[in-house]
mmCIF file of all heavy atoms in Angstrom:
data_model
loop_
_atom_site.group_PDB
_atom_site.id
_atom_site.type_symbol
_atom_site.label_atom_id
_atom_site.label_comp_id
_atom_site.label_asym_id
_atom_site.label_seq_id
_atom_site.Cartn_x
_atom_site.Cartn_y
_atom_site.Cartn_z
ATOM 1 N N ARG V 1 108.444 117.270 77.378
ATOM 2 C CA ARG V 1 108.194 116.303 78.442
ATOM 3 C C ARG V 1 109.145 116.573 79.609
ATOM 4 O O ARG V 1 110.299 116.958 79.412
ATOM 5 C CB ARG V 1 108.381 114.870 77.932
ATOM 6 C CG ARG V 1 107.389 114.490 76.840
ATOM 7 C CD ARG V 1 107.668 113.105 76.261
ATOM 8 N NE ARG V 1 106.731 112.783 75.204
ATOM 9 C CZ ARG V 1 105.582 112.126 75.382
ATOM 10 N NH1 ARG V 1 105.265 111.688 76.607
ATOM 11 N NH2 ARG V 1 104.782 111.873 74.370
ATOM 12 N N SER V 2 108.644 116.337 80.817
ATOM 13 C CA SER V 2 109.451 116.582 82.009
ATOM 14 C C SER V 2 109.053 115.604 83.106
ATOM 15 O O SER V 2 107.939 115.059 83.107
ATOM 16 C CB SER V 2 109.267 118.017 82.504
ATOM 17 O OG SER V 2 107.902 118.261 82.824
ATOM 18 N N THR V 3 109.978 115.364 84.029
ATOM 19 C CA THR V 3 109.697 114.504 85.176
ATOM 20 C C THR V 3 109.019 115.326 86.269
ATOM 21 O O THR V 3 109.472 116.425 86.597
ATOM 22 C CB THR V 3 110.992 113.884 85.723
ATOM 23 O OG1 THR V 3 111.593 113.096 84.691
ATOM 24 C CG2 THR V 3 110.706 113.004 86.925
ATOM 25 N N VAL V 4 107.945 114.796 86.814
ATOM 26 C CA VAL V 4 107.176 115.488 87.849
ATOM 27 C C VAL V 4 107.358 114.751 89.171
ATOM 28 O O VAL V 4 107.011 113.567 89.286
ATOM 29 C CB VAL V 4 105.677 115.549 87.484
ATOM 30 C CG1 VAL V 4 104.887 116.236 88.598
ATOM 31 C CG2 VAL V 4 105.482 116.273 86.161
ATOM 32 N N ASN V 5 107.915 115.434 90.158
ATOM 33 C CA ASN V 5 108.055 114.882 91.503
ATOM 34 C C ASN V 5 106.763 115.155 92.275
ATOM 35 O O ASN V 5 106.362 116.313 92.445
ATOM 36 C CB ASN V 5 109.247 115.515 92.221
ATOM 37 C CG ASN V 5 109.562 114.835 93.542
ATOM 38 O OD1 ASN V 5 108.701 114.175 94.133
ATOM 39 N ND2 ASN V 5 110.775 114.991 94.020
ATOM 40 N N LEU V 6 106.094 114.100 92.724
ATOM 41 C CA LEU V 6 104.813 114.253 93.399
ATOM 42 C C LEU V 6 104.961 114.671 94.862
ATOM 43 O O LEU V 6 103.979 115.035 95.510
ATOM 44 C CB LEU V 6 104.018 112.948 93.313
ATOM 45 C CG LEU V 6 103.730 112.457 91.890
ATOM 46 C CD1 LEU V 6 103.000 111.117 91.936
ATOM 47 C CD2 LEU V 6 102.917 113.482 91.109
ATOM 48 N N HIS V 7 106.178 114.578 95.404
ATOM 49 C CA HIS V 7 106.465 115.008 96.782
ATOM 50 C C HIS V 7 105.516 114.344 97.785
ATOM 51 O O HIS V 7 104.919 115.002 98.642
ATOM 52 C CB HIS V 7 106.383 116.530 96.903
ATOM 53 C CG HIS V 7 107.410 117.245 96.078
ATOM 54 N ND1 HIS V 7 108.760 117.237 96.389
ATOM 55 C CD2 HIS V 7 107.285 117.975 94.936
ATOM 56 C CE1 HIS V 7 109.420 117.949 95.476
ATOM 57 N NE2 HIS V 7 108.556 118.389 94.594
ATOM 58 N N LEU V 8 105.371 113.035 97.651
ATOM 59 C CA LEU V 8 104.509 112.269 98.554
ATOM 60 C C LEU V 8 105.356 111.413 99.486
ATOM 61 O O LEU V 8 106.471 111.029 99.138
ATOM 62 C CB LEU V 8 103.566 111.375 97.744
ATOM 63 C CG LEU V 8 102.515 112.121 96.908
ATOM 64 C CD1 LEU V 8 101.797 111.155 95.980
ATOM 65 C CD2 LEU V 8 101.521 112.833 97.815
ATOM 66 N N PRO V 9 104.836 111.090 100.676
ATOM 67 C CA PRO V 9 105.591 110.236 101.602
ATOM 68 C C PRO V 9 105.885 108.872 100.976
ATOM 69 O O PRO V 9 105.091 108.342 100.189
ATOM 70 C CB PRO V 9 104.657 110.098 102.803
ATOM 71 C CG PRO V 9 103.712 111.254 102.705
ATOM 72 C CD PRO V 9 103.549 111.530 101.235
ATOM 73 N N GLU V 10 107.019 108.311 101.333
ATOM 74 C CA GLU V 10 107.390 106.991 100.828
ATOM 75 C C GLU V 10 106.450 105.929 101.407
ATOM 76 O O GLU V 10 106.057 105.993 102.572
ATOM 77 C CB GLU V 10 108.835 106.667 101.228
ATOM 78 C CG GLU V 10 109.373 105.381 100.627
ATOM 79 C CD GLU V 10 110.844 105.167 100.947
ATOM 80 O OE1 GLU V 10 111.487 106.119 101.430
ATOM 81 O OE2 GLU V 10 111.334 104.049 100.717
ATOM 82 N N VAL V 11 106.097 104.969 100.580
ATOM 83 C CA VAL V 11 105.194 103.901 101.020
ATOM 84 C C VAL V 11 105.898 103.021 102.051
ATOM 85 O O VAL V 11 107.051 102.617 101.865
ATOM 86 C CB VAL V 11 104.733 103.049 99.813
ATOM 87 C CG1 VAL V 11 104.012 101.792 100.279
ATOM 88 C CG2 VAL V 11 103.816 103.869 98.920
ATOM 89 N N GLN V 12 105.190 102.719 103.129
ATOM 90 C CA GLN V 12 105.731 101.841 104.161
ATOM 91 C C GLN V 12 105.771 100.412 103.632
ATOM 92 O O GLN V 12 104.741 99.857 103.249
ATOM 93 C CB GLN V 12 104.869 101.908 105.423
ATOM 94 C CG GLN V 12 105.345 101.040 106.568
ATOM 95 C CD GLN V 12 106.699 101.490 107.096
ATOM 96 O OE1 GLN V 12 106.962 102.668 107.207
ATOM 97 N NE2 GLN V 12 107.541 100.543 107.427
ATOM 98 N N ARG V 13 106.958 99.807 103.629
ATOM 99 C CA ARG V 13 107.136 98.484 103.017
ATOM 100 C C ARG V 13 107.114 97.349 104.040
ATOM 101 O O ARG V 13 106.930 96.194 103.680
ATOM 102 C CB ARG V 13 108.460 98.453 102.256
ATOM 103 C CG ARG V 13 108.564 99.526 101.162
ATOM 104 C CD ARG V 13 107.860 99.100 99.918
ATOM 105 N NE ARG V 13 108.496 97.932 99.346
ATOM 106 C CZ ARG V 13 109.572 97.977 98.557
ATOM 107 N NH1 ARG V 13 110.121 99.142 98.236
ATOM 108 N NH2 ARG V 13 110.085 96.874 98.065
ATOM 109 N N LEU V 14 107.371 97.653 105.305
ATOM 110 C CA LEU V 14 107.341 96.639 106.363
ATOM 111 C C LEU V 14 106.214 96.960 107.338
ATOM 112 O O LEU V 14 106.098 98.093 107.810
ATOM 113 C CB LEU V 14 108.673 96.584 107.120
ATOM 114 C CG LEU V 14 109.899 96.129 106.327
ATOM 115 C CD1 LEU V 14 111.142 96.173 107.211
ATOM 116 C CD2 LEU V 14 109.701 94.726 105.776
ATOM 117 N N HIS V 15 105.397 95.959 107.612
ATOM 118 C CA HIS V 15 104.271 96.137 108.522
ATOM 119 C C HIS V 15 104.350 95.041 109.580
ATOM 120 O O HIS V 15 104.611 93.871 109.258
ATOM 121 C CB HIS V 15 102.950 96.054 107.764
ATOM 122 C CG HIS V 15 102.794 97.117 106.717
ATOM 123 N ND1 HIS V 15 101.994 98.219 106.889
ATOM 124 C CD2 HIS V 15 103.359 97.260 105.490
ATOM 125 C CE1 HIS V 15 102.056 98.989 105.810
ATOM 126 N NE2 HIS V 15 102.881 98.420 104.945
ATOM 127 N N GLY V 16 104.105 95.408 110.827
ATOM 128 C CA GLY V 16 104.311 94.446 111.895
ATOM 129 C C GLY V 16 103.129 94.299 112.839
ATOM 130 O O GLY V 16 102.246 95.154 112.920
ATOM 131 N N PHE V 17 103.135 93.188 113.545
ATOM 132 C CA PHE V 17 102.153 92.897 114.593
ATOM 133 C C PHE V 17 102.902 92.272 115.764
ATOM 134 O O PHE V 17 103.738 91.382 115.560
ATOM 135 C CB PHE V 17 101.086 91.922 114.064
ATOM 136 C CG PHE V 17 100.197 91.354 115.139
ATOM 137 C CD1 PHE V 17 99.218 92.130 115.741
ATOM 138 C CD2 PHE V 17 100.340 90.035 115.556
ATOM 139 C CE1 PHE V 17 98.402 91.606 116.736
ATOM 140 C CE2 PHE V 17 99.529 89.502 116.537
ATOM 141 C CZ PHE V 17 98.554 90.290 117.127
ATOM 142 N N VAL V 18 102.625 92.746 116.963
ATOM 143 C CA VAL V 18 103.319 92.265 118.155
ATOM 144 C C VAL V 18 102.309 91.672 119.127
ATOM 145 O O VAL V 18 101.224 92.231 119.345
ATOM 146 C CB VAL V 18 104.084 93.419 118.848
ATOM 147 C CG1 VAL V 18 104.741 92.927 120.128
ATOM 148 C CG2 VAL V 18 105.129 94.011 117.923
ATOM 149 N N PHE V 19 102.654 90.541 119.714
ATOM 150 C CA PHE V 19 101.836 89.929 120.761
ATOM 151 C C PHE V 19 102.750 89.347 121.829
ATOM 152 O O PHE V 19 103.731 88.680 121.502
ATOM 153 C CB PHE V 19 100.947 88.814 120.199
ATOM 154 C CG PHE V 19 100.135 88.138 121.265
ATOM 155 C CD1 PHE V 19 98.956 88.708 121.710
ATOM 156 C CD2 PHE V 19 100.575 86.954 121.851
ATOM 157 C CE1 PHE V 19 98.221 88.089 122.722
ATOM 158 C CE2 PHE V 19 99.848 86.345 122.856
ATOM 159 C CZ PHE V 19 98.665 86.911 123.291
ATOM 160 N N PRO V 20 102.464 89.609 123.103
ATOM 161 C CA PRO V 20 101.420 90.495 123.621
ATOM 162 C C PRO V 20 101.871 91.949 123.602
ATOM 163 O O PRO V 20 102.999 92.245 123.227
ATOM 164 C CB PRO V 20 101.243 89.988 125.053
ATOM 165 C CG PRO V 20 102.615 89.515 125.431
ATOM 166 C CD PRO V 20 103.192 88.909 124.185
ATOM 167 N N ASP V 21 100.983 92.842 124.030
ATOM 168 C CA ASP V 21 101.316 94.263 124.044
ATOM 169 C C ASP V 21 102.347 94.594 125.117
ATOM 170 O O ASP V 21 103.094 95.560 124.991
ATOM 171 C CB ASP V 21 100.058 95.108 124.281
ATOM 172 C CG ASP V 21 99.090 95.039 123.111
ATOM 173 O OD1 ASP V 21 99.566 94.816 121.984
ATOM 174 O OD2 ASP V 21 97.886 95.205 123.330
ATOM 175 N N GLU V 22 102.371 93.816 126.180
ATOM 176 C CA GLU V 22 103.294 94.066 127.287
ATOM 177 C C GLU V 22 103.963 92.768 127.707
ATOM 178 O O GLU V 22 103.373 91.681 127.595
ATOM 179 C CB GLU V 22 102.551 94.661 128.490
ATOM 180 C CG GLU V 22 101.919 96.020 128.224
ATOM 181 C CD GLU V 22 101.196 96.555 129.454
ATOM 182 O OE1 GLU V 22 101.073 95.795 130.438
ATOM 183 O OE2 GLU V 22 100.759 97.721 129.418
ATOM 184 N N LEU V 23 105.191 92.879 128.183
ATOM 185 C CA LEU V 23 105.929 91.731 128.707
ATOM 186 C C LEU V 23 106.316 92.001 130.152
ATOM 187 O O LEU V 23 106.493 93.144 130.567
ATOM 188 C CB LEU V 23 107.201 91.480 127.886
ATOM 189 C CG LEU V 23 107.024 91.034 126.434
ATOM 190 C CD1 LEU V 23 108.382 90.930 125.753
ATOM 191 C CD2 LEU V 23 106.302 89.693 126.375
ATOM 192 N N VAL V 24 106.443 90.913 130.904
ATOM 193 C CA VAL V 24 106.944 91.000 132.276
ATOM 194 C C VAL V 24 108.470 91.035 132.217
ATOM 195 O O VAL V 24 109.096 90.203 131.556
ATOM 196 C CB VAL V 24 106.475 89.797 133.114
ATOM 197 C CG1 VAL V 24 107.060 89.878 134.527
ATOM 198 C CG2 VAL V 24 104.948 89.756 133.159
#
């Protein structure tokens, strides 16, 4: 038995939404 590294990108744990798209 051996450990297999899948070499995949880390899952994004924080997701955001911004309003509005632009500020004065």
